[in-house]
Structure formats: C-alpha cells, structure tokens
C-alpha cells in the first residue's frame, strides 16, 4: 500500500467536502433549521449520491460504461437549477418573520431526498469522481482492493467532515446573527447555482 498516496487522497477528500459548496451549505442549513437529525438525513442522502458517482466512475474505469460528456452537462444544469431552488427557499425563510413562511419552509427542509439530489448533481462531486478519483486507484497493487479502500475512506471522511460542519453551524445558530447566517447560506447557494450554469454554457 502506498501510504503517501492514501494520505494525499484523505487530505483531498476532506478539503473538497469542507470547501463551501452546495452539499456543505445544505447540511449547514439543515443544522440551523432542524438540528442534527435533519442534518444526518441530509448527510445520508449526499453519501448515497457519492456512492452512486463512485460506482459510475468504477464502471467507466473498467470499461463497462461509456457516458458522453454532454450528459454530464445536462445533469449539472438540472442540479444547479435545483440548488437555486433550495437557495431561494432558504433566503425566503431568512427574510420572513411570519409563521406562515416558517410553515412553508419547513416543508422543504433538508432531508435524505434533497441531500441525494444535490449530491448526485453537484458539479464539484461530478468533476471529482470523473477525473480526480481515478488518479488514486493505484494506492494498492490490486485495483479492486484500492477501490474498496477509497470508497470506505470516502464514507467515513464524508460523515465526519459534514458532522463537524453541522456542529460548527449549530453553535452559530444560537447567536443573534442566526437569520444573517441563514441568509448567507441561501445567497451562496444561489451564486453557486448561477456560476455552475454559466460554466456549462460558456
């Protein structure tokens, strides 16, 4: 086993997950609005999405699957539109102080389904598993063993990193800046979505 490659992979995974993006902000929003239970449901959803992307990457590596690049672009655009929708919901909740708005937003709180949809269409994750992930498949001499190790490592680091994100934002939720933090999460999601669409079309 090449420990230097494995450590580099672990660092890359942590940095990618912890870097502000749709998944991290979605988990943070869940933590701010619904506590760890909602955040955990979201993490489960994003983790399953990652496993689907890993499986797709493995099938491509082994020559069982050939996906045209324009299909990835379509998935990215649809994902960005969904991310923009979630961002608008969070912004609306942050700006509104009425019970009616709270009831509306509670229907779209982050959950397993939302976590999966954002994770499976997240441009950052698609790029990682399509181009970056295959570079570490030589961490062990056997390809199958390498894939198992890399996948299990991803699952553990994904849960650990996103849980830390939740606890960090949960501490912030007790401050007077709660609405501003929530508004920032929604606004950044909108920016990420718009940039994602722009990067695909231009």
């Amino acid at each position: 086993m090449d420990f230097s490659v494995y450590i580099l992979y672990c660092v890359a995974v942590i940095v990618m997950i912890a870097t502000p993006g749709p998944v991290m902000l979605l988990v943070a929003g869940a933590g701010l609005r619904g506590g760890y239970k909602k955040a955990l449901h979201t993490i489960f959803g994003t983790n399953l999405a990652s496993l689907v992307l890993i499986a797709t990457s493995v099938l491509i590596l082994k020559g069982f699957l050939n996906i045209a690049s324009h299909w990835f672009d379509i998935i990215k655009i649809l994902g960005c539109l969904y991310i923009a929708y979630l961002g608008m919901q969070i912004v609306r909740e942050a700006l509104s102080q009425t019970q009616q708005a709270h009831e509306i937003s509670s229907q779209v709180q982050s959950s397993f389904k939302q976590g999966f949809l954002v994770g499976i269409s997240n441009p950052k994750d698609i790029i990682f598993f399509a181009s970056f992930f295959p570079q570490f498949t030589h961490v062990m001499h056997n390809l199958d063993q390498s894939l198992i190790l890399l996948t299990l490592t991803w699952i553990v680091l994904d849960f650990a990193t996103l849980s830390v994100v939740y606890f960090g934002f949960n501490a912030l939720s007790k401050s007077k800046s709660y609405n501003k933090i929530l508004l920032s999460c929604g606004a950044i999601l909108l920016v990420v979505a718009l940039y994602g669409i722009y990067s695909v079309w231009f």
Side-chain angles (χ1 to χ4, degrees):
M1 176 177 173
D2 191 333
F3 285 99
S4 60
V5 173
Y6 179 68
I7 292 172
L8 180 61
Y9 171 76
C10 292
V11 172
V13 169
I14 293 173
V15 170
M16 196 204 76
I17 296 172
T19 301
V23 170
M24 192 202 78
L25 292 170
L26 193 64
V27 172
L32 288 172
R33 293 181 293 169
Y36 189 57
K37 184 177 181 180
K38 282 290 183 182
L40 192 59
H41 287 172
T42 307
I43 294 172
F44 274 120
T46 61
N47 205 273
L48 178 60
S50 297
L51 292 178
V52 171
L53 291 175
I54 289 174
T56 303
S57 179
V58 170
L59 290 175
I60 293 173
L61 280 172
K62 293 197 169 188
F64 296 120
L65 186 64
N66 185 20
I67 301 177
S69 60
H70 69 271
W71 284 110
F72 284 113
D73 290 338
I74 292 173
I75 294 173
K76 288 178 186 178
I77 291 175
L78 293 175
C80 288
L81 292 174
Y82 185 67
I83 290 168
Y85 166 75
L86 293 177
M88 290 175 62
Q89 297 299 318
I90 294 175
V91 168
R92 183 170 62 174
E93 177 176 346
L95 294 176
S96 177
Q97 300 296 323
T98 66
Q99 181 63 28
Q100 181 181 5
H102 176 74
E103 290 174 353
I104 292 173
S105 64
S106 66
Q107 297 174 9
V108 293
Q109 285 185 0
S110 301
S111 62
F112 179 86
K113 181 180 178 181
Q114 286 185 338
F116 178 80
L117 290 175
V118 170
I120 201 69
S121 59
N122 182 10
K124 186 170 66 172
D125 284 5
I126 292 174
I127 292 171
F128 180 86
F129 290 116
S131 59
F132 198 61
F133 179 79
Q135 298 180 31
F136 295 94
T137 53
H138 63 283
V139 66
M140 300 184 75
H141 295 298
N142 183 280
L143 176 60
D144 291 334
Q145 292 178 352
S146 293
L147 293 174
I148 291 172
L149 176 64
L150 295 177
T151 301
L152 292 176
T153 300
W154 172 273
I155 292 172
V156 172
L157 292 178
D158 192 31
F159 271 100
T161 305
L162 290 178
S163 292
V164 170
V165 167
Y166 157 74
F167 287 116
F169 275 87
N170 185 55
L172 293 175
S173 69
K174 298 178 176 61
S175 70
K176 295 180 179 179
S177 303
Y178 168 80
N179 278 345
K180 292 181 180 179
I181 296 170
L182 200 60
L183 179 62
S184 298
C185 288
I188 294 174
L189 280 176
L190 287 172
V191 172
V192 169
L194 292 174
Y195 177 77
I197 294 173
Y198 174 83
S199 65
V200 171
W201 283 348
F202 301 98

